[in-house]
Amino acid sequence: MITAKNCIIRLSRYKNALYRLQTLGFVKVFSDNLADAVGVTAAVVRKDFSVFGISGNKKGGYQIEILLEKINSILGKDRLQKVIVIGAGHIGSALMRYRGFEKEGIKIAAGFDIDPAKINRYNALPILPLEEVKDFIKSQGIKIAILAVPDIAAQEVLDLVCSCGIKGILNFAPLRLISPEGCIVNNVNLEIELENLIYFVNVAEKTK
Amino acid sequence: MITAKNCIIRLSRYKNALYRLQTLGFVKVFSDNLADAVGVTAAVVRKDFSVFGISGNKKGGYQIEILLEKINSILGKDRLQKVIVIGAGHIGSALMRYRGFEKEGIKIAAGFDIDPAKINRYNALPILPLEEVKDFIKSQGIKIAILAVPDIAAQEVLDLVCSCGIKGILNFAPLRLISPEGCIVNNVNLEIELENLIYFVNVAEKTK
DNA sequence: ATCATAATGTTACTTTTTTCACAATAACAA
DNA sequence: TTGTTATTGTGAAAAAAGTAACATTATGAT
Ligand SMILES: NC(=O)c1ccc[n+]([C@@H]2O[C@H](COP(=O)([O-])OP(=O)(O)OC[C@H]3O[C@@H](n4cnc5c(N)ncnc54)[C@H](O)[C@@H]3O)[C@@H](O)[C@H]2O)c1
Ligand SMILES: NC(=O)c1ccc[n+]([C@@H]2O[C@H](COP(=O)([O-])OP(=O)(O)OC[C@H]3O[C@@H](n4cnc5c(N)ncnc54)[C@H](O)[C@@H]3O)[C@@H](O)[C@H]2O)c1
């Protein structure tokens, strides 16, 4: 099922909102509750659901539990997703120390670095030398890598991990990387995020 | 000039590509060079430029230097943009140690934390107690804050800094924050980025 | 000077995304 | 059972974003 990126992002948001509602004791939800929680309109919610064949009950809304099951299955959250982090520097180690991914069923299986000082093989979350990345990817069946290496190394590391079977990359280097057919790159570009914010703040300032 | 977020993001990308081209010795550029560099079509480039009244020369393309000047002025990069970071934990300190923002004319003026152990008042980049944030924002005229505090604290910190005059927030907490009229929130939600990547990798896997 | 060319700038078209509107219908009340 | 109501699911309309096409016009060649 090929679908727009935005639609999948909204699914993630619905899921998060549903967990919150569940925590608050709710059992069912209406499209406009979810819409409010996520910041879209009710029609968008229902349309998104219809794309994935998710249906609710006329008058009764949606059972949160069932809804979560379906969304989780679509998003692949019904099974543990293992990822690796390449580059155990500032960003890389912040990510590796972060506990929030586990709650989401995303496990950082290992980190990799070229700096021998960073290697820590016997940790719960081991940091391994980059030379071992191929074996690790193959043996663990890893599909996703987070790239947190210096800008200059990013393309070469991408080429390496793609050649080892990685199919998706979350890249923190503020560069446009070229990826082989069949490998998806999502960029987290904080410079651009800030620039964007600065622009809109300045515009609001001016038009005030 | 009110414009779509995507259009501004593209402006940032054009700018980055232009600097690269300039480094390579180029003096002028055509819309399709830029399009290739950024991964859009030439028509988009020209349209984006026309929105901002940026014009080139029939046949001659665009002078990179002039183009950069105009884009930089639109993005507010012709003057130093000062931001603050709230929360000097894993993500917060990674950001504060990052040198990449300075190259972009973005200066992290200070960090703030509630943990006394994190305070470091006499550093080049001081980390100050949260109580001082109001005075700092006012005296330095700060408009932008990066939120890197625990999820649970994010909304309350947003309320605080907005009440002190902050107009734009880059939020790392995976929550939808409510912001007062006139304050823009951009979210960096890494869980959702990963979920998204996982979805599309899995879809590609299945349809193969 | 004149012409051919190459690239812009813009208008018209297409596609995608979002919103609107309402018929269909399950739930509940009388 | 019948009627009323509330909410879904969807098709049509509107808006936004992106693409294509081409008339326009500087530039350099002849
Ligand atoms: N730190 C931030 O806040 C921040 C913000 C925005 C963007 N980024 C981007 O994130 C990336 C990482 O930044 P950082 O601050 O963590 O850098 P860093 O220098 O702290 O860490 C980079 C790590 O990568 C390792 N490394 C270098 N080459 C490698 C290779 N070929 N294979 C494996 N590991 C290698 C280094 O040994 C180091 O440990 C950079 O592209 C940077 O532009 C960082
Ligand atoms: N670390 C990551 O890789 C990562 C990844 C994704 C999202 N996030 C999000 O980023 C945020 C920060 O994560 P982290 O890992 O850096 O957390 P952290 O616990 O390492 O750091 C949080 C810092 O905020 C400070 N703090 C707490 N309450 C505060 C308050 N009211 N005012 C000012 N400072 C306060 C703490 O003292 C601490 O230094 C969280 O919302 C987290 O969900 C982090």
Side-chain angles (χ1 to χ4, degrees):
Chain A
M1 198 175 287
I2 309 123
T3 315
K5 181 167 175 176
N6 280 343
C7 174
I8 305 302
I9 289 177
R10 285 195 300 266
L11 276 195
S12 287
R13 301 220 164 104
Y14 300 147
K15 176 201 53 133
N16 293 342
L18 287 167
Y19 278 121
R20 277 200 303 281
L21 290 168
Q22 211 172 41
T23 307
L24 296 172
F26 289 92
V27 171
K28 63 180 192 180
V29 70
F30 304 117
S31 55
D32 63 336
N33 304 144
L34 262 185
D36 287 350
V38 165
V40 298
T41 65
V44 170
V45 174
R46 296 200 296 273
K47 263 259 165 82
D48 284 341
F49 288 177
S50 94
V51 166
F52 292 101
I54 294 175
S55 58
N57 312 307
K58 301 268 150 92
K59 198 154 186 192
Y62 305 82
Q63 293 291 116
I64 293 182
E65 200 175 325
I66 296 172
L67 200 46
L68 272 170
E69 230 164 66
K70 288 182 177 167
I71 294 177
N72 280 334
S73 147
I74 293 163
L75 293 176
K77 307 201 76 64
D78 47 0
R79 55 197 180 283
L80 189 70
Q81 300 285 348
K82 285 189 286 187
V83 309
I84 55 174
V85 172
I86 320 279
H90 294 130
I91 279 284
S93 43
L95 295 173
M96 286 190 271
R97 291 204 194 95
Y98 184 54
R99 296 276 68 83
F101 296 137
E102 277 174 27
K103 282 185 299 206
E104 289 295 337
I106 297 167
K107 183 175 168 59
I108 300 180
F112 293 87
D113 208 294
I114 42 160
D115 179 357
K118 298 280 170 65
I119 306 305
N120 182 346
R121 193 178 291 277
Y122 303 106
N123 213 26
L125 201 177
I127 297 176
L128 305 173
L130 190 64
E131 300 85 59
E132 296 179 21
V133 77
K134 181 165 194 172
D135 284 348
F136 194 92
I137 289 170
K138 299 277 182 194
S139 71
Q140 303 270 320
I142 308 284
K143 293 276 179 298
I144 311 255
I146 300 175
L147 274 204
V149 298
D151 305 3
I152 191 92
Q155 182 66 56
E156 125 198 12
V157 171
L158 178 145
D159 295 340
L160 169 67
V161 295
C162 287
S163 78
C164 302
I166 289 295
K167 298 294 180 204
I169 287 179
L170 189 63
N171 167 49
F172 282 83
L175 299 172
R176 200 168 107 84
L177 301 178
I178 312 294
S179 67
E181 183 75 10
C183 177
I184 302 157
V185 179
N186 278 10
N187 295 293
V188 176
N189 192 322
L190 300 180
E191 279 94 334
I192 287 186
E193 292 293 334
L194 276 175
E195 258 171 37
N196 202 260
L197 199 53
I198 289 166
Y199 172 83
F200 284 104
V201 166
N202 285 341
V203 166
E205 201 75 1
K206 260 178 246 162
T207 60
K208 200 180 53 182
Chain B
M1 198 175 289
I2 309 124
T3 315
K5 183 168 173 177
N6 279 344
C7 174
I8 306 301
I9 290 177
R10 285 195 299 266
L11 276 194
S12 286
R13 300 220 165 105
Y14 300 146
K15 174 200 53 125
N16 294 342
L18 286 167
Y19 279 121
R20 277 200 302 283
L21 290 168
Q22 210 172 41
T23 307
L24 296 173
F26 289 91
V27 170
K28 64 180 191 179
V29 70
F30 303 118
S31 55
D32 63 335
N33 304 146
L34 219 36
D36 286 351
V38 165
V40 298
T41 65
V44 169
V45 174
R46 295 200 298 271
K47 222 166 197 191
D48 285 341
F49 287 177
S50 94
V51 166
F52 292 100
I54 295 175
S55 57
N57 312 308
K58 302 266 151 91
K59 199 156 186 189
Y62 305 82
Q63 292 291 116
I64 292 181
E65 199 173 326
I66 296 172
L67 200 46
L68 272 170
E69 230 164 67
K70 288 182 178 167
I71 294 177
N72 280 335
S73 147
I74 292 163
L75 293 176
K77 305 200 80 61
D78 47 1
R79 55 198 179 282
L80 189 70
Q81 300 286 346
K82 285 189 285 188
V83 308
I84 55 175
V85 172
I86 320 280
H90 293 129
I91 280 285
S93 43
L95 295 173
M96 286 191 271
R97 290 205 193 97
Y98 184 55
R99 296 275 69 82
F101 296 137
E102 277 174 26
K103 280 185 302 207
E104 289 296 335
I106 298 167
K107 182 176 169 58
I108 300 180
F112 292 88
D113 208 294
I114 42 160
D115 179 356
K118 298 278 170 65
I119 306 307
N120 183 345
R121 193 178 291 278
Y122 303 106
N123 214 26
L125 201 177
I127 296 175
L128 305 173
L130 190 63
E131 300 85 59
E132 296 180 20
V133 78
K134 181 165 193 170
D135 284 349
F136 194 92
I137 290 170
K138 300 277 182 196
S139 70
Q140 303 270 321
I142 307 284
K143 292 277 180 297
I144 311 255
I146 300 175
L147 274 205
V149 298
D151 304 4
I152 191 91
Q155 182 67 57
E156 124 197 12
V157 171
L158 179 146
D159 295 340
L160 170 66
V161 295
C162 287
S163 78
C164 302
I166 288 295
K167 298 293 181 208
I169 288 178
L170 188 63
N171 167 49
F172 281 83
L175 299 172
R176 199 169 107 84
L177 301 178
I178 313 293
S179 66
E181 182 75 11
C183 177
I184 302 157
V185 179
N186 278 10
N187 295 294
V188 176
N189 192 321
L190 300 179
E191 279 93 335
I192 288 186
E193 292 293 336
L194 277 175
E195 258 173 37
N196 201 260
L197 199 53
I198 288 166
Y199 173 82
F200 285 103
V201 166
N202 285 342
V203 166
E205 201 76 1
K206 260 178 247 161
T207 60
K208 200 180 52 184

